[in-house]
Amino acid sequence: MTETSGNPILSAKDVCKEYKIGKTLLRVLNGINLDIHEGEVVIVLGASGAGKSTLLHTLGMLDTPTSGSVYLKGENLSIAKQSELAAKRNSVFGFVFQFYYLLPDFNALENVLMPCLIGNSVYKAKSKRENTEKAIELLQRVGLGNRIHHRPDELSGGEKQRVAIVRALINDPEILLCDEPTGNLDTHTGREIQELIWELNDRTKKTVVIVTHDERFAKSTECVVRIADGKIVNCARN
Ligand SMILES: Nc1ncnc2c1ncn2[C@@H]1O[C@H](COP(=O)(O)OP(=O)(O)O)[C@@H](O)[C@H]1O
Ligand SMILES: [Mg+2]
C-alpha cells in the first residue's frame, strides 16, 4: 500500500483555470484539490476535454492557475517568480508527452542530452562525457542500446516514447509527469511503456503522475483520480 501520511510532495489547492474566448469564459479546471505523495503513482483519468492536460501543465508549472495554488513540498509556486519557476521546473519535473516531441534532426542520444544543454540544469555543469555516459546507460536500460544513433524517423512509436522517457529522466527529476504516454501507441507497445513507467517507479521510487483516458491504467495503480468537466469526481486510494 502506498504511504500517504506526511506532507505531500505536490498539491493543488482550489485550482481553477479559465480561458476567455471572445466574451465567453471557459472554466477548464474548477476547484481541483489533490495531494500527491512522494513515491506515489497517481493516475488521473478522464474523457477528452475533461481538463487533464491543463491540470498536468498546472502541476508541472508549465501553466499557472487562474486562481488557487500549486504547492511543491509546501512552497506555494503560484506566487513564485518566473525565474525561480523555470529553475524548479527543470530540476524537479520530467515531462513525457503523447507525441514525444523529439527533435527530428537529432539522434536518440542527442535528444536525450538536450535538457543538459538548457540553463538551470545541474547537469549543464557536468562534463559532456559524464552526461553522455549517463544517457547511454539509461538508453541501454530501456532496451535501446542498439538505437542510440538512430534519428526519430528511424524509430518505432514505442522506441520514440522510450527515448522521450529517458530524456525526461536525464536530469534525475523527483517527479515524472506524463500526458497520455501511451495515447499514440498500439495496445502491446502501450503496455510495454506502461510497464517501463512502473518499473521506474519501483526501482527509483520517483513520484509519477499520469493523465490518460486509457482505463487500463486504472487497474494497475493504487491511486486513481477521475476528473470530469474540470472537477475531481472520484479519488480512490487502495
Ligand atoms: N489555451 C486554451 N484556450 C482555450 N481553451 C483551451 C485551451 N487549452 C485547453 N482548452 C480547453 O480546455 C478544455 C480542457 O482541455 P485539456 O486540458 O486539453 O483536456 P484533456 O487533456 O482532458 O483532453 C478543452 O475544452 C479545451 O478545448
Ligand atoms: Mg490532453
Side-chain angles (χ1 to χ4, degrees):
M1 185 170 157
T2 307
E3 180 58 66
T4 53
S5 61
N7 297 324
I9 186 167
L10 190 62
S11 62
K13 295 258 186 287
D14 301 322
V15 165
C16 293
K17 181 75 185 178
E18 292 170 347
Y19 292 109
K20 211 168 178 190
I21 299 168
K23 286 183 180 160
T24 313
L25 198 63
L26 183 66
R27 185 166 268 209
V28 176
L29 297 179
N30 194 1
I32 297 277
N33 286 292
L34 179 63
D35 284 344
I36 294 162
H37 293 83
E38 199 172 345
E40 260 192 317
V41 178
V42 175
I43 305 295
V44 179
L45 273 168
S48 177
K52 302 182 299 294
S53 295
T54 308
L55 175 61
L56 198 79
H57 295 170
T58 307
L59 288 172
M61 302 153 57
L62 290 171
D63 205 347
T64 48
T66 309
S67 65
S69 301
V70 173
Y71 293 83
L72 176 68
K73 297 177 204 164
E75 185 189 348
N76 187 350
L77 297 178
S78 310
I79 54 170
K81 289 198 195 87
Q82 277 305 319
S83 55
E84 286 172 39
L85 287 182
K88 284 223 164 61
R89 187 167 50 230
N90 290 339
S91 61
V92 176
F93 297 104
F95 294 92
V96 174
F97 301 100
Q98 178 177 359
F99 295 109
Y100 330 120
Y101 298 133
L102 300 177
L103 297 172
D105 295 332
F106 294 86
N107 68 30
L109 178 62
E110 291 161 340
N111 267 283
V112 167
L113 286 169
M114 223 37 91
C116 303
L117 305 173
I118 295 168
N120 303 312
S121 163
V122 283
Y123 285 83
K124 197 179 173 190
K126 295 203 173 178
S127 75
K128 193 176 169 200
R129 193 171 60 92
E130 226 175 310
N131 287 331
T132 304
E133 278 170 9
K134 181 174 183 198
I136 291 173
E137 190 195 310
L138 283 169
L139 284 164
Q140 283 168 341
R141 213 185 278 164
V142 301
L144 293 179
N146 55 358
R147 296 286 186 277
I148 284 170
H149 300 292
H150 287 231
R151 284 199 318 270
D153 65 357
E154 297 162 339
L155 296 169
S156 71
E159 288 168 345
K160 280 189 258 221
Q161 194 59 300
R162 283 168 198 268
V163 173
I165 289 171
V166 170
R167 179 184 56 189
L169 295 173
I170 191 75
N171 280 344
D172 206 19
E174 292 170 73
I175 307 171
L176 191 63
L177 300 176
C178 310
D179 192 351
E180 305 273 7
T182 62
N184 207 33
L185 302 173
D186 64 74
T187 309
H188 175 72
T189 314
R191 197 173 307 125
E192 285 179 350
I193 292 295
Q194 200 174 336
E195 278 163 14
L196 174 63
I197 294 171
W198 254 255
E199 189 202 308
L200 278 169
N201 167 262
D202 244 12
R203 200 183 52 232
T204 63
K205 302 293 167 224
K206 276 190 201 310
T207 309
V208 183
V209 184
I210 301 170
V211 306
T212 179
H213 67 273
D214 187 347
E215 283 287 334
R216 279 167 304 176
F217 271 100
K219 298 190 185 85
S220 45
T221 191
E222 291 167 335
C223 180
V224 181
V225 177
R226 289 178 189 272
I227 68 168
D229 296 327
K231 283 187 186 154
I232 292 182
V233 289
N234 188 264
C235 181
R237 278 195 163 92
N238 297 320

